[in-house]
Amino acid sequence: MSDSTARSSPIDGLLEQYRPRPGVADELMQADGSLRAVWQPLIRQLARLSPEELSQRTARADQYLKDAGVYFRQYTGTGSTERAWPLSHIPVVIGGAEWRQLSAGIIQRAELLERVMADLYGPGDLVNGGLLPAELITRNREWLRPVQGLHPRSGHFLHFLAFEIGRSPDGSWFVLGDRTQAPSGAGFALENRMATSRVFHDYFPAANVERLAGFFRGFRDAINGLRGDGDGRAAILTPGQHTDTYFEHAYIARYLGLMLLESDDLRVDRGSLMVSTVTGPQPVSVLWRRLDSRFSDPLELDESSALGTPGMVSALRSGAFTMLNCLGSGVLEARALMAFLPRISQALTGEALSLPNIATWWCGQPAELTYVRDNLDRMMIGPALSTRLPFELEASTVLGGSFRGAASRPVADWLNTDAANLVGQEAVTLSTTPALIDGQLVPRPMVVRVFAARTPDGWTVMPGGYARIGRTEDPTALAMQSGGSVADVWIVGDTPVRTDTLTAPPAGPFVRRLSGLLPSRAADNLYWLGRYVERAEAQVRKLRAYHLRLEDAVVPLVEHLGDYISDFGTDIEDSVPLGLLDLFDAARGCAGKIRDRFSTDGWHALDDLSGTAHKLAAGKVTAGDDAARAMSVLLRKLAGFSGLVHENMFRDTGWRFLTMGRALERADNIASLLVAFADRAAPPGSLDVAVEVGDSVMIHRRRYSVETSRNTVIDLLALDPDNPRSLICQTRLLREQEAAMPRAQAKRQMSDFARQVLRLDTDLAVAVPEEITTARLTEMRAEIADISDALTALYLG
């Protein structure tokens, strides 16, 4: 192709600013400036798109991620917050033949790491034979002495691994780090794929890109196979919603059909690992651990851990369950270990590493220390036992002979005094890949995370992965915390790829599966989600009624209403009180802890509701009509959330707890409302307030032609079973949900919870308005509190 033709081509315009750095491998271009063959179809597709169309497509991908609720947690000096997922819209493209070679190297490395861990927690031949320095193991806090001698029930220590790989200037691949502790990113890889396929919706289906579903199906089936013949469940163990990868934990749990548990859900009972559920303790036979090992058991590992389950190590040691990956696997992530893996591979397998790791020298050895000292200008020097990657530089890291952070001593002195604690690694020169920044393709540094899973047939490698892309040319700023982005990884073959799904057609006739077990913690959060939302709605209705009457001359009623609102912890001096914001935040917090069981639409509706309340509070909402209109906005959004829950949420046990929470809160609110505003000593106008806050104005006008009286209000808000706001409607709802609970259907003796609900419902059913005095309403509030306590003791304790 001539120069003039190249200059006039659409591709030339697309790549106008694409200038790879000399001496750096580039994924898109070869050293002579020509496009790599595997990239050419994608680049031609991009060149056909106008800037406006490309912008629309990337916006569509970003909107998908927002709608799906994908986020990462950004940490700052003052805390953390959820941030939008930073997708790099151009995938990393790797040819199928090259990927097969990489996969073989990954499988070899996974097998090697399994054998190393089995030795470290078994006979110790590697240390005894001089292949590994003992101090690198014993000083590593991830080497857990209580796990020594453990024989995993599955026969293997490692089941799911990740590897950070990069391409060197000569085009070959090397390993930057092994992730054996609790590797993250596989779920994010799925979402990257979903979003990127929206950018290339017309190109992706026929682009011969390997699908990811088969990898996850194989691992899911392997997990289920490890359950054995008993009734034990498989679950994912997460540190909770405040970890930076919690979204992924919830996503993978939903995707693979596993329970998502926190350590508080678990307990060890007579040597077995049990999960507390609303139907009682149930055995767990497979646990995919997503928190660091040392936090897992405060009895034998870290006594200060608030994330652990006492007795976890003992249950694992006894073979009560299988853990993926086994406790103590974090010892394999230490930087210094990479210095010894090539020699260990030769000793254990008789083979060299086909996928080498970054050149590494432990400074605790004289010859290696001398080499590092003599080659400071091309070394990265840092803590030997650190698990961070070479490009994730720490303040105490030396790069090119100088400290990255402030240091008061020479590098040579540091090496002399701390040699055993240091490791030297070849300064990383990362390859670059195309990134779309400000509408232009530019080369940016990248590293790829690839995943391997153990199946009954051996290790399998995900045909793709998760690439971290730099926003700038700085190779030390790839992490999302530093402004980096992430991209999908496409493995492109020469032949068409069949569409794959997570589910294969089952053999035999169709069988409807029962809903899974509901952990008590999840039930508790659903229950309190219902209560907080209902409590917030009640406060919003009271605040609207208050502000609508501020201009009236009826001072006693306004003061009475203000005192009543204040008694519930809401400061009426603020137009959008802090106490109301706290209720929305509490509801959002409960929903955040059960993201695996809560619909994306429901989460967005609740998030929007909380966000709107905070925006109104930050604005200049004035008392009176302005504040009343603000409360009306919140009521409409509350109605939207409630509609989503009522219409879309599956009627399983989780929905029943949310419904019972709302019913109990509404019952208490109506009873307290009637105590305050249906009392004969209440100021004039109080009965109208009760009907208004009880959202029953229209039906009251239609049903009762006479003026509002205490009897009409009590009849409508306490005794009418057709009014969804009435007391008796809430007791009927509680009875319905209690009867559908698993324990009730087991035909056991009636529980205290069921008895108390039945008593209150019966009392309301036979009562007439004159009998529902203020004193009786006060007693009912106490009975409602007792019902809540009985429910908690029965299911949530």
Side-chain angles (χ1 to χ4, degrees):
M1 183 169 61
S2 66
D3 290 344
S4 60
T5 303
R7 281 194 296 271
S8 62
S9 71
I11 291 179
D12 185 68
L14 180 68
L15 301 177
E16 182 179 358
Q17 297 187 25
Y18 200 86
R19 299 289 182 270
R21 287 186 299 153
V24 175
D26 184 70
E27 297 299 312
L28 175 63
M29 288 186 174
Q30 301 182 88
D32 62 3
S34 61
L35 294 181
R36 297 184 188 273
V38 73
W39 279 87
Q40 290 176 12
L42 178 62
I43 295 301
R44 284 196 296 268
Q45 172 70 14
L46 277 171
R48 296 188 187 103
L49 304 177
S50 67
E52 294 76 17
E53 186 176 2
L54 184 57
S55 177
Q56 291 172 358
R57 288 175 178 236
T58 57
R60 186 183 302 130
D62 293 338
Q63 187 62 48
Y64 163 79
L65 291 168
K66 181 179 180 181
D67 292 343
V70 187
Y71 70 93
F72 79 101
R73 189 164 290 279
Q74 178 79 51
Y75 293 97
T76 64
T78 57
S80 66
T81 186
E82 293 178 6
R83 297 292 187 189
W85 189 246
L87 179 69
S88 183
H89 302 92
I90 308 300
V92 175
V93 181
I94 301 174
E98 183 178 24
W99 187 256
R100 285 191 290 275
Q101 292 182 347
L102 273 173
S103 296
I106 290 296
I107 290 172
Q108 180 200 39
R109 195 175 186 90
E111 288 286 1
L112 177 63
L113 291 175
E114 169 71 31
R115 294 183 66 172
V116 171
M117 185 166 177
D119 180 78
L120 292 180
Y121 288 102
D125 293 337
L126 294 175
V127 170
N128 295 332
L131 292 171
L132 264 179
E135 60 184 296
L136 282 182
I137 306 304
T138 56
R139 288 195 295 107
N140 191 332
R141 64 176 180 170
E142 296 298 340
W143 184 73
L144 307 179
R145 190 175 296 275
V147 182
Q148 184 68 29
L150 183 147
H151 298 284
R153 190 174 81 161
S154 69
H156 298 101
F157 288 88
L158 303 177
H159 303 83
F160 194 87
L161 304 174
F163 303 89
E164 307 283 356
I165 63 173
R167 195 191 290 274
S168 64
D170 65 5
S172 62
W173 291 90
F174 60 94
V175 176
L176 289 157
D178 304 304
R179 290 290 173 249
T180 57
Q181 172 81 267
S184 64
F188 290 128
L190 278 169
E191 286 291 23
N192 289 343
R193 173 63 55 87
M194 296 294 291
T196 305
S197 64
R198 279 160 171 75
V199 179
F200 302 100
H201 60 87
D202 51 351
Y203 171 76
F204 177 82
N208 299 342
V209 179
E210 293 285 346
R211 303 304 198 256
L212 305 180
F215 171 82
F216 287 96
R217 184 178 63 248
F219 187 51
R220 179 204 58 192
D221 293 346
I223 290 174
N224 288 331
L226 292 172
R227 291 170 56 182
D229 299 328
D231 58 353
R233 270 65 178 182
I236 294 176
L237 178 62
T238 175
Q241 64 173 327
H242 295 296
T243 189
D244 55 349
T245 54
Y246 178 73
F247 168 84
E248 184 194 27
H249 302 169
Y251 179 86
I252 287 289
R254 283 197 303 266
Y255 187 67
L256 298 184
L258 305 176
M259 287 193 296
L260 184 65
L261 305 178
E262 296 182 23
S263 293
D264 286 346
D265 295 322
L266 297 166
R267 61 189 176 95
V268 176
D269 185 7
R270 287 173 289 186
S272 296
L273 186 66
M274 311 293 287
V275 55
S276 299
T277 76
V278 296
T279 55
Q282 300 291 333
V284 173
S285 55
V286 182
L287 193 65
W288 186 0
R289 175 177 57 84
R290 300 302 298 270
L291 79 163
D292 288 355
S293 297
R294 64 183 183 277
F295 299 136
S296 299
D297 186 346
L299 281 184
E300 296 198 52
L301 300 177
D302 185 346
E303 63 181 14
S304 65
S305 173
L307 301 175
T309 300
M312 178 81 77
V313 173
S314 176
L316 187 63
R317 190 185 295 121
S318 68
F321 70 103
T322 294
M323 179 176 282
L324 322 177
N325 294 324
C326 189
L327 293 177
S329 57
V331 69
L332 301 175
E333 295 188 356
R335 280 178 181 165
L337 186 65
M338 301 182 81
F340 303 92
L341 283 180
R343 191 161 56 132
I344 291 173
S345 179
Q346 286 284 4
L348 294 184
T349 69
E351 298 177 348
L353 290 173
S354 61
L355 182 59
N357 49 243
I358 182 175
T360 305
W361 298 266
W362 177 48
C363 297
Q365 298 167 300
E368 283 74 8
L369 174 60
T370 299
Y371 183 85
V372 170
R373 186 185 291 116
D374 292 344
N375 294 274
L376 285 179
D377 58 336
R378 61 185 189 89
M379 285 286 170
M380 189 287 297
I381 305 171
L385 300 181
S386 172
T387 61
R388 301 184 72 175
L389 297 178
F391 59 83
E392 298 173 339
L393 302 181
E394 296 148 290
S396 61
T397 297
V398 166
L399 181 64
S402 302
F403 278 100
R404 291 281 294 182
S408 58
R409 55 178 173 170
V411 173
D413 290 350
W414 185 49
L415 283 169
N416 289 335
T417 57
D418 294 338
N421 297 320
L422 301 175
V423 68
Q425 293 182 297
E426 185 177 5
V428 177
T429 302
L430 296 175
S431 64
T432 54
T433 194
L436 188 64
I437 297 178
D438 298 329
Q440 289 289 332
L441 282 184
V442 293
R444 288 293 181 259
M446 69 121 197
V447 63
V448 175
R449 176 171 288 195
V450 297
F451 302 91
R454 185 184 293 281
T455 72
D457 298 324
W459 289 98
T460 181
V461 178
M462 180 193 292
Y466 167 96
R468 284 192 273 179
I469 312 294
R471 177 71 183 176
T472 67
E473 294 183 355
D474 182 4
T476 68
L478 270 66
M480 287 184 290
Q481 301 291 334
S482 303
S485 58
V486 293
D488 191 13
V489 177
W490 287 7
I491 309 305
V492 178
D494 298 326
T495 58
V497 176
R498 70 178 182 87
T499 302
D500 202 357
T501 65
L502 188 66
T503 56
F510 171 78
V511 177
R512 175 178 290 168
R513 302 293 181 185
L514 297 175
S515 299
L517 293 174
L518 181 65
S520 298
R521 179 188 54 85
D524 186 60
N525 279 293
L526 285 163
Y527 172 73
W528 279 103
L529 171 61
R531 296 206 68 156
Y532 285 134
V533 169
E534 184 63 30
R535 193 174 298 177
E537 180 180 337
Q539 289 298 82
V540 169
R541 291 187 180 279
K542 295 167 192 174
L543 285 165
R544 186 173 67 170
Y546 172 78
H547 285 285
L548 286 173
R549 288 165 175 77
L550 272 182
E551 307 299 326
D552 295 345
V554 188
V555 176
L557 178 60
V558 173
E559 290 181 345
H560 183 63
L561 183 52
D563 291 342
Y564 173 67
I565 295 171
S566 299
D567 287 343
F568 285 85
T570 301
D571 187 356
I572 59 174
E573 297 301 318
D574 295 326
S575 297
V576 183
L578 179 61
L580 182 61
L581 301 182
D582 289 342
L583 288 174
F584 286 124
D585 290 344
R588 190 179 183 278
C590 287
K593 296 175 182 176
I594 47 172
R595 289 287 287 269
D596 61 313
R597 296 179 177 271
F598 206 62
S599 76
T600 301
D601 288 336
W603 170 259
H604 281 305
L606 186 58
D607 191 49
D608 178 55
L609 178 58
S610 178
T612 299
H614 280 274
K615 288 177 183 176
L616 290 171
K620 296 181 179 179
V621 178
T622 58
D625 289 343
D626 194 25
R629 284 193 293 272
M631 295 303 110
S632 294
V633 169
L634 293 178
L635 278 176
R636 288 193 291 271
K637 288 184 178 290
L638 277 161
F641 172 76
S642 299
L644 274 172
V645 169
H646 183 75
E647 295 296 331
N648 296 350
M649 195 169 176
F650 190 77
R651 266 44 172 184
D652 59 4
T653 307
W655 178 83
R656 301 191 192 287
F657 276 96
L658 188 148
T659 301
M660 289 189 291
R662 294 202 70 174
L664 278 167
E665 190 66 39
R666 182 171 290 184
D668 182 67
N669 174 65
I670 291 297
S672 73
L673 186 70
L674 294 174
V675 167
F677 294 94
D679 186 76
R680 301 191 185 283
S686 291
L687 293 174
D688 292 327
V689 169
V691 175
E692 179 183 328
V693 174
D695 196 24
S696 302
V697 172
M698 291 181 62
I699 187 62
H700 188 276
R701 288 173 180 170
R702 288 201 303 267
R703 176 168 294 181
Y704 305 105
S705 58
V706 297
E707 185 176 326
T708 305
S709 68
R710 188 179 188 281
N711 280 348
T712 63
V713 172
I714 293 292
D715 182 56
L716 187 59
L717 294 183
L719 305 179
D720 192 334
D722 294 325
N723 182 4
R725 297 276 172 179
S726 71
L727 263 175
I728 194 170
C729 184
Q730 310 318 308
T731 58
R732 296 282 164 87
L733 192 57
L734 287 168
R735 286 186 63 190
E736 290 174 8
Q737 302 314 315
E738 188 280 331
M741 294 294 286
R743 294 195 185 196
Q745 292 182 330
K747 307 301 182 184
R748 299 179 181 179
Q749 186 179 12
M750 183 177 286
S751 65
D752 287 343
F753 168 56
R755 289 193 189 94
Q756 292 180 37
V757 173
L758 179 59
R759 288 193 191 103
L760 181 56
D761 183 65
T762 303
D763 287 349
L764 288 167
V766 300
V768 294
E770 291 84 357
E771 296 173 351
I772 308 299
T773 62
T774 299
R776 180 66 187 111
L777 287 166
T778 302
E779 291 173 356
M780 286 183 180
R781 288 198 70 193
E783 291 169 16
I784 292 167
D786 290 341
I787 291 172
S788 176
D789 290 343
L791 182 151
T792 299
L794 180 62
Y795 292 113
L796 309 178

